[in-house]
Amino acid sequence: MCLAIPGKILTREGQTGRVDFGGLIRQAALDLVPDAAIGDVVLVHAGFAIQKVDLSMEPEIAERLGVSC
Amino acid sequence: MNANSRILLAHGAGGRLTHELITSLFVRCFDNAPLAALDDSAELTLPCGDRLAFTTDAYVVQPIEFPGGDIGRLAVCGTVNDLATKGARPIGISAAMILEEGLDRATLERIVRSMSAAAKEAGVELVTGDTKVVERGAATSLYIATAGIGVIAPGINLSGRNARAGDAVIVSGTLGDHGITVMNARQNLGFEGDIRSDAAPLNGLVDHMLSAASSVHVIRDLTRGGLATALNEIAASSGVRVEIEEEVVPVRNSVLAGCQMLGLDPLYVANEGKIVAFVEAGRAEAVLSAMRDHPYGRDAIRIGSVVSGEPGVILKTPIGGARRLLMLDGDPLPRIC
Amino acid sequence: MLMKNSAGAVAALRRAPEFAREVLGDIRQLSERACRRTGRDTVQIMEVCGTHTMSFAQSGLRGLLPDTVRLLSGPGCPVCVTTAADVDRTVWLAHQPGVTLTTFGDMLKVPGSTGSLADASASGADVRVVYSPADALDLAAALPDREVVFLGVGFETTAPLVAATLLRACETGVRNFSVFPLFKLVPPALRAILAGRSHQNDGFVLPGHVSAIIGLAPYSFVADEFGVPGVIAGFEPFDLLEAVRLLLNLVTEEPARIAIQYTRGVPSGGNPAALRMLAESFDPCEAVWRAVGAIAESGLAFKKHLAEFDAARKFPGMPACDAPEPKGCLCGAILMGRALPADCRHFGTTCTPETAVGPCMVSSEGACAAAYKYGFTETSRWKKFGRPRKEATAP
């Protein structure tokens, strides 16, 4: 019922960050993930990061996002 | 509410409703063989026996400029591509410009220069035209209506009706680039990075394909409605069953991410510089390598085959499943669930 | 899809058809074992979330599952469960002078009794599709002379976003912004399903992204009170394969419990920051679910300090009338897992995506839309789902 896809945080300024979804970059609100930092992978739903993601079991997605695991 | 009683935006979206409107109204009332073929351009025979391809198209894209192209480049490329998919060499294009009162002169000049550049690239000239200005609000900045004429060389016979069992199905490159780019610009989605329209004239690429083999049966440019809709049209026209492998359909990561974010299927997203071809299987490799020699065909790949069975399009999924792929239904909209 | 930018394909074991075959083999064995225990011929699994409904269909997985596993679609599509009366109120809002109505694209074509937001737009209302509530707030800041109303549909995943957006509005002093809250909550709907006399669910595939917010605890009553297991699942085909296998294991286990397959995105505690935001912004309230009816504490109402952002207060005089559900439409029974799309006499005849009668066909992720779009293949299992008409009851 809720589309969300993982992306890597490139920059964070306060509550707003730029997130890289494998070549596609969009601003995302980080209000709901106060402890997420640059380089972290987050699930983004409707422009808001809703959760940090652990991609250690998903090499394909990790590679697409340029995250080493 | 009866969806058939009024014209909806979906009637212009290039999907099932568009197809229904064309077949149930236009084809029925105008009633002639070149139109009924429902190819991208009509084939006309001159008294001397030479064959012409003749096409017309209207361009209303918003916004009129976007990464990788603009409405002018789109108009020229779209017209050239409609001729090229019949294997025709374009010899002349017309353009009717419908301008909104108050349109910025500099904008118009940019669009016209872009048309000129695209025509030069395609090796065709814009030989006639018309200009109309409508009151502010009666159009949005500018619309372009084009027509194009091309010559079909003897021996070339490309039509959506020519697909045969055993044919290889080939696409010329990545899908969805144009649609996502324009949707991003139109809806202010805020996407940056690796997305740009693929608008390109493909007559050079088609020349490469046809010189490599006379065994090309169908070429179709993949515009609104995307690959899924084009395959359905061809399957219906030829009365064949098409099977494609989801996993080999090429899509740029950035475009795939955009599609996933917006709940869209790249198989239904528009392109303006991509074709699908049906080719005799034995010659598929030769055609592919000819395509890859051309800048607009570098990512060409075989995505499936024509198989025996009931007409339709089947998508085989990476986990070994299969499902029917239907025409586009309605107008794709960004969604969050 | 082929990744064109990948430097080289990583050996993604779980994407391979061999992996699917192996898990499907397990699913067959486990489901047969469960059937022997229950004496019934299928294990009935409800996928609560509409995105799961679509993933099952789109990946072809629905057609690969053995006959001993039957999938039922649940109420987890916010578009499907928004009532016609609420759509009418939204259309009314869009027509108020000075209003710019912003909505997710999902809601644009959903018909109320007097047409949809798309129809309202065609007749002159200012309706705009946004991707994010934050974009709606930006629009309000850019259009100070307009009243920007955001249509707040969604579940626990989406509601915190809207709460965060309102906090931003408070901080930046944007006052020409309001939200029409139509949020729904998942656990109360599950309770309503389980409390129904005729529920036939052996287990639940639970929504991954709702759970990314709420975590595991809010579902524990499903297992503890009703003895039904559940698995919180991701959305990739391999996620669904693993989730179904895990769920079939739980079906034969005592006592019933809730487990997480989607561990990469769902910590068992959910997202504490988002939960805090929810608790500080909303109070649970009764909500009416389309074709289902009122469910206690299944909606969200703004707390007092946010009341100024409530579009229902800002624009008094909202019509109250309730439109009846279309005659013979089985959406209510379908949303509650008591009937399947093919049971409905409208399905595929008078009801198609372009001439939708009920909400499950309107939404692109509704159970009927999925069945219509993906159902008619040789590998389709919808035909096998056909049950005697008398079992399916209209709400």
Coordinates of all heavy atoms in Angstrom, one line a residue, chain A residues 3 5, chain B residues 256-266 269 332-337, chain C residues 54 58 106 131 364 373:
Chain A
L3 N 4.5 2.6 -1.5 CA 5.7 2.5 -2.3 C 6.8 3.2 -1.5 O 6.7 4.3 -1.1 CB 5.6 3.1 -3.6 CG 4.5 2.4 -4.5 CD1 4.3 3.2 -5.8 CD2 4.9 1.0 -4.9
I5 N 11.3 3.2 -1.8 CA 12.5 2.6 -2.3 C 13.7 3.1 -1.6 O 13.8 4.2 -1.1 CB 12.6 2.8 -3.8 CG1 12.9 4.3 -4.2 CG2 11.4 2.3 -4.6 CD1 13.3 4.4 -5.6
Chain B
L256 N 14.6 3.4 -13.8 CA 13.9 2.3 -13.0 C 13.6 2.8 -11.6 O 12.5 2.6 -11.1 CB 14.8 1.1 -12.9 CG 14.2 -0.1 -12.3 CD1 13.0 -0.6 -13.1 CD2 15.3 -1.3 -12.2
A257 N 14.5 3.6 -11.0 CA 14.3 4.1 -9.7 C 13.1 5.1 -9.7 O 12.2 5.1 -8.9 CB 15.5 4.8 -9.2
G258 N 13.1 6.0 -10.8 CA 12.0 6.9 -10.9 C 10.7 6.2 -11.0 O 9.6 6.5 -10.4
C259 N 10.6 5.1 -11.8 CA 9.4 4.3 -12.0 C 9.0 3.7 -10.7 O 7.8 3.7 -10.4 CB 9.6 3.3 -13.1 SG 9.7 3.9 -14.8
Q260 N 9.9 3.1 -10.0 CA 9.6 2.5 -8.7 C 9.0 3.5 -7.7 O 8.1 3.2 -7.0 CB 10.8 1.7 -8.2 CG 11.1 0.5 -8.9 CD 12.4 -0.2 -8.5 OE1 13.2 0.5 -7.8 NE2 12.6 -1.4 -8.8
M261 N 9.6 4.7 -7.8 CA 9.2 5.7 -6.8 C 7.8 6.1 -7.1 O 7.0 6.4 -6.2 CB 10.1 6.9 -6.9 CG 10.5 7.5 -5.6 SD 11.5 8.9 -5.9 CE 13.1 8.2 -6.2
L262 N 7.4 6.1 -8.4 CA 6.1 6.7 -8.8 C 5.1 5.6 -9.1 O 4.0 5.9 -9.5 CB 6.3 7.6 -10.0 CG 7.3 8.7 -9.9 CD1 7.5 9.4 -11.2 CD2 6.8 9.7 -8.8
G263 N 5.5 4.3 -8.9 CA 4.6 3.2 -9.2 C 4.3 3.0 -10.6 O 3.1 2.7 -11.0
L264 N 5.2 3.3 -11.5 CA 5.0 3.1 -12.9 C 5.8 1.9 -13.4 O 6.8 1.5 -12.8 CB 5.5 4.4 -13.7 CG 4.9 5.7 -13.3 CD1 5.6 6.8 -14.0 CD2 3.4 5.7 -13.6
D265 N 5.3 1.4 -14.5 CA 6.0 0.2 -15.1 C 6.7 0.7 -16.4 O 6.1 1.3 -17.3 CB 4.9 -0.8 -15.5 CG 5.6 -2.1 -16.1 OD1 6.7 -2.0 -16.5 OD2 4.9 -3.1 -16.1
P266 N 8.1 0.6 -16.4 CA 8.8 1.2 -17.6 C 8.3 0.6 -18.9 O 8.6 1.3 -19.9 CB 10.3 0.8 -17.3 CG 10.3 -0.1 -16.1 CD 8.9 0.0 -15.4
V269 N 6.0 3.2 -20.3 CA 6.5 4.6 -20.3 C 7.0 5.0 -21.7 O 7.6 4.2 -22.4 CB 7.5 4.9 -19.2 CG1 8.0 6.3 -19.2 CG2 7.0 4.5 -17.8
P332 N -0.8 7.2 -17.4 CA -0.1 6.9 -16.2 C 0.2 8.1 -15.4 O 0.5 9.2 -15.9 CB 1.3 6.4 -16.8 CG 1.3 6.7 -18.2 CD -0.1 7.1 -18.7
L333 N -0.1 8.0 -14.1 CA 0.0 9.1 -13.1 C 1.0 8.7 -12.0 O 1.0 7.5 -11.6 CB -1.3 9.4 -12.5 CG -2.3 10.2 -13.2 CD1 -3.6 10.2 -12.4 CD2 -1.8 11.6 -13.4
P334 N 1.8 9.6 -11.5 CA 2.6 9.3 -10.3 C 1.7 8.9 -9.1 O 0.7 9.6 -8.9 CB 3.4 10.6 -10.1 CG 2.7 11.7 -10.8 CD 1.9 11.0 -11.9
R335 N 2.1 7.9 -8.4 CA 1.3 7.5 -7.3 C 2.2 7.1 -6.2 O 3.4 6.8 -6.4 CB 0.3 6.4 -7.6 CG 1.0 5.2 -8.2 CD -0.1 4.2 -8.7 NE 0.6 3.0 -9.3 CZ 0.8 1.9 -8.6 NH1 0.5 1.8 -7.3 NH2 1.5 0.9 -9.1
I336 N 1.7 7.0 -5.0 CA 2.6 6.6 -3.8 C 2.2 5.3 -3.3 O 2.9 4.8 -2.3 CB 2.6 7.7 -2.7 CG1 1.1 7.9 -2.2 CG2 3.1 9.0 -3.2 CD1 0.9 7.5 -0.8
C337 N 1.2 4.7 -3.8 CA 0.8 3.4 -3.2 C 0.2 2.5 -4.3 O 0.2 2.9 -5.5 CB -0.2 3.5 -2.1 SG -1.8 4.2 -2.6
Chain C
M54 N 0.0 -6.3 -5.9 CA 0.6 -6.0 -7.2 C 1.9 -6.8 -7.4 O 2.1 -7.3 -8.5 CB 0.9 -4.5 -7.3 CG -0.4 -3.7 -7.4 SD -1.5 -4.3 -8.7 CE -0.7 -3.7 -10.2
Q58 N 2.5 -9.1 -10.5 CA 3.5 -8.6 -11.5 C 4.7 -9.5 -11.6 O 5.2 -9.7 -12.7 CB 4.0 -7.2 -11.0 CG 4.0 -6.2 -12.1 CD 4.1 -4.8 -11.5 OE1 4.3 -4.5 -10.3 NE2 4.1 -3.8 -12.4
D106 N -2.8 8.9 -7.0 CA -3.6 7.7 -6.8 C -5.1 8.1 -6.7 O -6.0 7.3 -7.1 CB -3.3 7.0 -5.4 CG -1.8 6.8 -5.3 OD1 -1.1 7.8 -5.4 OD2 -1.4 5.6 -5.0
Y131 N 3.9 14.6 -5.4 CA 4.6 13.4 -5.0 C 4.7 13.3 -3.5 O 4.7 12.2 -2.9 CB 5.9 13.3 -5.7 CG 6.8 12.2 -5.1 CD1 6.4 10.9 -5.2 CD2 8.0 12.5 -4.4 CE1 7.2 9.8 -4.7 CE2 8.8 11.5 -3.9 CZ 8.4 10.2 -4.0 OH 9.2 9.2 -3.5
S364 N -5.2 1.4 -8.8 CA -4.4 0.6 -9.7 C -3.8 -0.6 -8.9 O -3.3 -1.6 -9.4 CB -3.2 1.4 -10.2 OG -2.6 2.1 -9.2
K373 N -6.0 -7.0 -14.7 CA -4.9 -6.7 -15.5 C -4.0 -7.9 -15.7 O -3.4 -8.1 -16.8 CB -4.1 -5.5 -14.8 CG -2.9 -5.1 -15.6 CD -2.3 -3.8 -15.1 CE -1.1 -3.4 -15.9 NZ -0.2 -2.4 -15.3

